Amino acid sequence: MASLKRTIQMDTLLQDSREHFRKRMLKKALVAAQIALDFARKEGSPEDVFTTCILLARIFSVNARYAMNGLFYKKAEAFLEEAESLNWVPEPEFKVRLLHAKADIKGFQVKVNEASEDLNLALAIAQKNILKEEEIKLLVSYAYLEMTAGNYEHSMQLSDQALDTFREFFDYEKNKSLAAEVYTQMAQVLVKKADYYHALEFGQLLLSISRELNDTEKEINALMVMAIVSATKANYKIAMQYFQEALVKSQNIGYQQSTVDCLINMATIYAHLYNYDDALARYNEVLENYRSQLDDASLIAIYNNVGNIYASKEEPDVAHPYFEKALILAEKNNLVPEASLAKAHLSRVCTAQGEIRKATELALEAAKSFNELGLINGSQINLLNLAELSYRQGDLDQAAELAMMGKEAAEKLLDDSSQIKAWQLLAAIFEKKGDFPKAHTYLKEFVKRSEAFSKMQLNRQFLDLEIKNALREKQKEIEQLTKENEYQALLLEKGDQIKKQNDELLQMNEDLKQFAYVASHDLKEPLRMIGSYAQIITRIYGDKLDDNAKTYFGYITEGVTRMNHLLDALLKYTTVGKSDEEFEELELNYIVDIVKVHLKVLIEESGAQITVDELPDVYSGKSLLILLMQNLLSNAIKFRKPDIPPQIHISASQNDEFVTVKVQDNGIGIAKEHLDRIFVIFQRLHARSEYEGTGIGLAICQRICQRLGGKIWVESEPGKGSSFYFSLPVHPLES
Ligand code: ADP
């Protein structure tokens, strides 16, 4: 009886501990395993003690990895010693486990050679005794080890071998936990090898199994893989959602390494989207809370990135110390490319600070190493910087030569913003040289590119706003799930919830307002400057300018006007529905009549026939509804087939919940693959010379519909015309 009782208690404790361990609830796992060990030492068999010691060693080594604390490895090692010292000859299976646990600890301590020795030994025993499960687990560990050591090819081979063995000997449905181990490794090594297509496949598989198994660490791994793959495909919104989820989960289980990885990745994406504040917040969190856990290479990258952000924000005094720190660390570690990059940045910042001597010194030093290193990132910055320094010192020929080289390097390195800088600098240099035709050519290129660049920048900022919103949603979702899991939902008073939602909405509005401000002031101001100077030059130097130059100035003015229109449209977009317009019951037929008056000229010129059914009333803001209808009608006329007058029909249907309005035309239609895209701001399907427009109309329509609690969509076929639909709630909320 006693022994049966013992077995049951031991088994229960070990099972509990393993279960907690799997979910990475390390404290609980530890408590259960420690009680089990007390039991085993007092009344258990050597096998009990052995098994429990191995489990404890594994718990401690994971704990060491999570908390990035080496002391836990010592504890893990002590348990392994206890297991080894037992007066008991273990079966091959146990021998393999002991070696495996030892190798894992050495692997985490980056003792790669020792670890692979143990693994090879263990693999030989496992293969000889046909212990397939152990073999697969060993292969996975070995592959992981090689991956962290940078030997991706070998790691890939080992991962493939693990996968093949699994497929040959195991039934997936009955061995999902083992499958998850193999998939984790596969997904990670595929990312390292930049085979994103297959990484995604394994990432997805892993995500679903880990959720099914409630295995948080693997779920985090899967989320990170998906995030990285999405980011490489420029799907930043999705990438950020995955990172956010991985971050929250890593923090929950105290997994510091992946917490740091998530924060750094998110910061990098934010910086890419020109959201400097959020990027800085995350970099700072890493620097403040996890600094001691970063290796020097990561620290250098972070210092350089933070410095760059401040340099872009035109705060050279703040940027300066960051580049300085990056430089010191890079030199300490003998990392020449990193040190040269830091010097190039530092020189740029010194130029901005007016410290010309120091700037020149640094740039020359950097140039020397870049010459030896060949064309790598940073050389373009340094060349342009040297060009600017020569320009300032009046050596125009050298400045021109350097700027040209900088431009070419920037082109090869696909660095748009340096290219723009180069064109601007070249224009200034040639203007000073008195070579106006050349200066104009460069200026024209500069204006064209900066226009495209600002547009891209705006697009990214919009994407950033979308991401903000999506992350809030995701955060809410995660919080909600956590709450449900912990039965805490009841604690949240309804009032609190509403307050929270209101706060979030206010914050969103704040963000948009902020954006509108940036768009209107910060962007319009330099634009005005370009426009005015172009006019001044034509006025003052009018007779000296040849015809070409005059045409070019014409282009500038035209570009400025177009950009102004874009900005106005953008402002309209951000402020749509911001007014305190009263909502009222409106006759749709009356709204259509108003719109027809607004579009009178367009209708007459195009010979458009507009037929309108009897339409229901809707409850809405008048100007919003007019704007919505007007955008749809003017598009229906604008995108007509050449030589065929537009025929437009407006109809509506209604059920208990929604009024749905249809605007049907006989125009050029839209290909299936573009149907979603056209509602995204600035997305257009045609060249401006074909059909005028800014690409903002439908984005506004979508916002209006969202604001009114409805939605908008389109059905269309190329050559057969389009039908735009929007639906509005019959009983909208008063808000
Ligand atoms: P814009 O009209 O200023 O270019 P919109 O946001 O209104 O911008 O429309 C986006 C794109 O959607 C247009 O450039 C056009 O390619 C397509 N589109 C919109 N309405 C129609 C329509 N009725 N028929 C065909 N294409 C359309």
Side-chain angles (χ1 to χ4, degrees):
M1 271 314 275
S3 114
L4 184 62
K5 193 171 133 228
R6 175 201 67 78
T7 316
I8 292 173
Q9 265 172 334
M10 271 297 294
D11 283 355
T12 317
L13 281 164
L14 284 179
Q15 229 171 36
D16 266 6
S17 174
R18 287 207 179 96
E19 189 56 27
H20 290 317
F21 181 50
R22 214 164 47 73
K23 292 188 195 159
R24 295 303 190 242
M25 296 156 90
L26 298 179
K27 277 207 183 104
K28 287 186 181 165
L30 194 62
V31 173
Q34 266 163 339
I35 302 174
L37 185 63
D38 283 344
F39 253 109
R41 279 177 183 150
K42 270 188 224 134
E43 348 182 357
S45 65
E47 186 183 325
D48 290 334
V49 181
F50 188 94
T51 325
T52 319
C53 277
I54 302 271
L55 179 59
L56 274 161
R58 287 178 58 210
I59 296 173
F60 270 111
S61 58
V62 169
N63 202 3
R65 187 158 54 95
Y66 274 31
M68 293 173 156
N69 181 343
L71 281 181
F72 293 121
Y73 287 125
K74 294 258 168 309
K75 293 208 169 167
E77 275 164 341
F79 283 114
L80 291 185
E81 272 164 31
E82 179 172 348
E84 262 185 313
S85 70
L86 288 172
N87 195 6
W88 176 63
V89 183
E91 315 224 325
E93 187 175 346
F94 292 107
K95 236 191 253 167
V96 170
R97 284 194 199 159
L98 180 71
L99 281 166
H100 193 166
K102 270 186 175 175
D104 273 350
I105 293 173
K106 286 175 186 157
F108 296 144
Q109 293 170 309
V110 209
K111 298 177 183 163
V112 179
N113 290 339
E114 292 176 35
S116 54
E117 241 170 65
D118 284 344
L119 285 172
N120 274 318
L121 198 60
L123 261 174
I125 304 177
Q127 276 159 353
K128 192 169 145 217
N129 294 280
I130 322 183
L131 299 166
K132 287 296 166 192
E133 181 170 347
E134 301 301 330
E135 186 183 333
I136 290 172
K137 287 184 177 168
L138 287 164
L139 284 168
V140 167
S141 286
Y142 200 2
Y144 181 78
L145 184 75
E146 288 290 60
M147 184 177 79
T148 47
N151 304 327
Y152 301 144
E153 278 312 316
H154 192 206
S155 174
M156 189 74 236
Q157 275 170 16
L158 292 161
S159 312
D160 274 336
Q161 203 180 330
L163 185 66
D164 289 345
T165 318
F166 177 78
R167 287 188 174 150
E168 189 176 345
F169 292 95
F170 290 89
D171 174 11
Y172 166 78
E173 285 299 327
K174 291 189 199 131
N175 295 282
K176 288 194 175 158
S177 180
L178 188 58
E181 302 214 0
V182 180
Y183 292 172
T184 310
Q185 176 50 35
M186 270 315 246
Q188 288 179 337
V189 72
L190 286 165
V191 167
K192 296 277 183 212
K193 288 198 64 190
D195 180 350
Y196 300 117
Y197 179 79
H198 290 106
L200 186 66
E201 195 180 315
F202 282 102
Q204 269 161 342
L205 279 172
L206 183 61
L207 193 61
S208 72
I209 313 185
S210 59
R211 285 183 173 157
E212 204 178 307
L213 297 174
N214 225 334
D215 184 330
T216 312
E217 182 178 320
K218 298 230 164 45
E219 190 182 351
I220 293 172
N221 285 329
L223 290 166
M224 298 282 278
V225 167
M226 309 279 282
I228 293 169
V229 174
S230 308
T232 57
K233 290 206 246 160
N235 275 336
Y236 298 121
K237 187 163 143 191
I238 296 176
M240 286 299 249
Q241 284 177 313
Y242 282 128
F243 276 131
Q244 172 78 359
E245 196 171 347
L247 177 66
V248 174
K249 298 212 151 126
S250 307
Q251 283 167 335
N252 280 349
I253 63 169
Y255 193 171
Q256 297 202 12
Q257 183 61 54
S258 71
T259 306
V260 172
D261 286 349
C262 287
L263 285 169
I264 293 181
N265 279 312
M266 291 177 90
T268 312
I269 294 181
Y270 274 131
H272 184 69
L273 299 176
Y274 304 97
N275 176 348
Y276 294 140
D277 291 345
D278 278 317
L280 285 175
R282 278 163 192 74
Y283 281 133
N284 282 334
E285 191 175 341
V286 174
L287 288 177
E288 273 161 30
N289 299 333
Y290 304 100
R291 221 202 100 134
S292 56
Q293 286 123 13
L294 294 171
D295 58 30
D296 282 356
S298 317
L299 254 183
I300 295 172
I302 294 180
Y303 285 144
N304 266 330
N305 290 353
V306 174
N308 253 326
I309 292 178
Y310 282 116
S312 306
K313 282 168 65 132
E314 299 190 6
E315 297 180 28
D317 295 345
V318 192
H320 193 122
Y322 283 101
F323 289 133
E324 213 153 46
K325 280 186 213 166
L327 178 58
I328 292 170
L329 265 186
E331 281 183 336
K332 190 182 112 195
N333 286 284
N334 254 334
L335 299 170
V336 184
E338 283 80 357
S340 319
L341 180 66
K343 273 182 197 161
H345 282 314
L346 203 53
S347 160
R348 192 164 58 105
V349 166
C350 285
T351 314
Q353 288 175 304
E355 294 182 31
I356 302 300
R357 251 192 52 195
K358 184 152 182 228
T360 315
E361 211 171 275
L362 282 162
L364 288 174
E365 274 177 42
K368 217 171 124 204
S369 14
F370 280 128
N371 278 343
E372 283 160 21
L373 291 164
L375 186 68
I376 59 164
N377 190 29
S379 12
Q380 80 282 27
I381 296 171
N382 203 48
L383 285 165
L384 290 174
N385 200 17
L386 281 167
E388 185 170 345
L389 288 164
S390 303
Y391 170 74
R392 285 184 181 221
Q393 283 154 5
D395 188 344
L396 297 178
D397 288 336
Q398 182 162 333
E401 192 183 326
L402 287 162
M404 219 35 168
M405 283 161 71
K407 180 180 83 68
E408 274 155 24
E411 275 163 5
K412 285 196 187 120
L413 294 163
L414 306 176
D415 175 353
D416 288 343
S417 81
S418 290
Q419 281 179 53
I420 292 174
K421 233 175 256 164
W423 290 111
Q424 189 179 21
L425 191 55
L426 279 165
I429 295 169
F430 281 93
E431 194 193 326
K432 220 178 204 175
K433 282 175 121 195
D435 185 345
F436 294 117
K438 262 202 178 146
H440 291 154
T441 315
Y442 293 132
L443 200 59
K444 187 180 149 201
E445 199 63 33
F446 162 67
V447 171
K448 189 173 109 198
R449 280 165 194 256
S450 38
E451 189 177 318
F453 191 71
S454 319
K455 205 157 145 180
M456 181 276 289
Q457 209 168 8
L458 282 176
N459 266 331
R460 290 208 193 144
Q461 282 171 341
F462 261 101
L463 182 58
D464 177 56
L465 282 184
E466 261 181 52
I467 288 175
K468 255 194 201 143
N469 200 25
L471 287 191
R472 265 187 214 120
E473 292 293 318
K474 188 93 222 166
Q475 183 73 23
K476 261 197 274 179
E477 205 180 284
I478 300 170
E479 277 169 14
Q480 192 59 31
L481 276 177
T482 324
K483 272 172 212 134
E484 275 165 17
N485 280 346
E486 295 173 3
Y487 301 102
Q488 282 180 350
L490 284 175
L491 295 180
L492 242 178
E493 292 284 315
K494 235 196 163 73
D496 277 358
Q497 257 178 14
I498 292 169
K499 185 180 171 303
K500 214 171 114 203
Q501 279 164 0
N502 270 344
D503 287 350
E504 277 164 8
L505 276 177
L506 283 177
Q507 179 64 39
M508 259 299 273
N509 274 342
E510 252 333 289
D511 292 339
L512 278 171
K513 258 196 243 152
Q514 177 75 17
F515 183 79
Y517 181 82
V518 170
S520 62
H521 294 79
D522 295 8
L523 294 174
K524 278 201 156 185
E525 210 277 324
L527 196 62
R528 236 192 326 270
M529 209 161 84
I530 298 174
S532 327
Y533 276 101
Q535 278 174 6
I536 292 173
I537 297 176
T538 12
R539 220 180 32 242
I540 301 181
Y541 302 101
D543 9 310
K544 290 197 203 128
L545 296 179
D546 63 16
D547 284 347
N548 269 348
K550 281 183 190 150
T551 319
Y552 298 153
F553 275 103
Y555 290 161
I556 296 183
T557 319
E558 202 184 297
V560 168
T561 315
R562 205 166 58 242
M563 187 81 181
N564 251 323
H565 283 320
L566 275 174
L567 287 174
D568 286 340
L570 190 63
L571 265 175
K572 210 179 208 172
Y573 175 78
T574 50
T575 47
V576 84
K578 281 272 176 56
S579 72
D580 296 318
E581 186 176 46
E582 293 269 315
F583 279 23
E584 56 189 316
E585 203 72 37
L586 294 165
E587 279 177 44
L588 260 173
N589 284 92
Y590 168 60
I591 299 290
V592 173
D593 286 339
I594 297 177
V595 171
K596 276 182 9 198
V597 174
H598 288 178
L599 300 177
K600 193 164 178 282
V601 179
L602 190 62
I603 295 172
E604 280 169 4
E605 276 176 4
S606 63
Q609 294 285 337
I610 303 176
T611 48
V612 190
D613 283 358
E614 189 64 34
L615 303 173
D617 293 354
V618 293
Y619 189 77
S620 163
K622 191 169 166 187
S623 63
L624 289 180
L625 207 56
I626 293 178
L627 193 55
L628 173 62
M629 258 324 207
Q630 187 163 321
N631 279 339
L632 292 180
L633 264 185
S634 63
N635 276 351
I637 301 174
K638 188 162 64 169
F639 297 103
R640 62 178 175 267
K641 286 187 202 148
D643 307 320
I644 299 183
Q647 293 244 339
I648 300 162
H649 183 66
I650 305 176
S651 55
S653 61
Q654 181 169 5
N655 62 19
D656 288 349
E657 284 179 67
F658 289 99
V659 173
T660 303
V661 180
K662 176 178 175 186
V663 180
Q664 186 180 9
D665 65 34
N666 62 341
I668 56 174
I670 303 161
K672 202 162 155 222
E673 63 268 28
H674 299 312
L675 289 181
D676 283 335
R677 210 161 69 99
I678 54 170
F679 294 100
V680 176
I681 189 162
F682 294 137
Q683 292 286 351
R684 315 197 61 237
L685 309 177
H686 308 278
R688 232 178 320 110
S689 52
E690 245 184 308
Y691 293 100
E692 268 290 330
T694 53
I696 222 160
L698 288 177
I700 290 184
C701 290
Q702 191 176 47
R703 265 181 87 107
I704 294 177
C705 290
Q706 278 167 355
R707 202 171 136 73
L708 296 175
K711 57 182 184 173
I712 182 165
W713 68 99
V714 60
E715 286 170 2
S716 182
E717 242 180 88
K720 295 205 175 149
S722 314
S723 294
F724 281 83
Y725 297 84
F726 64 87
S727 66
L728 302 178
V730 175
H731 308 289
L733 285 175
E734 277 268 7
S735 66

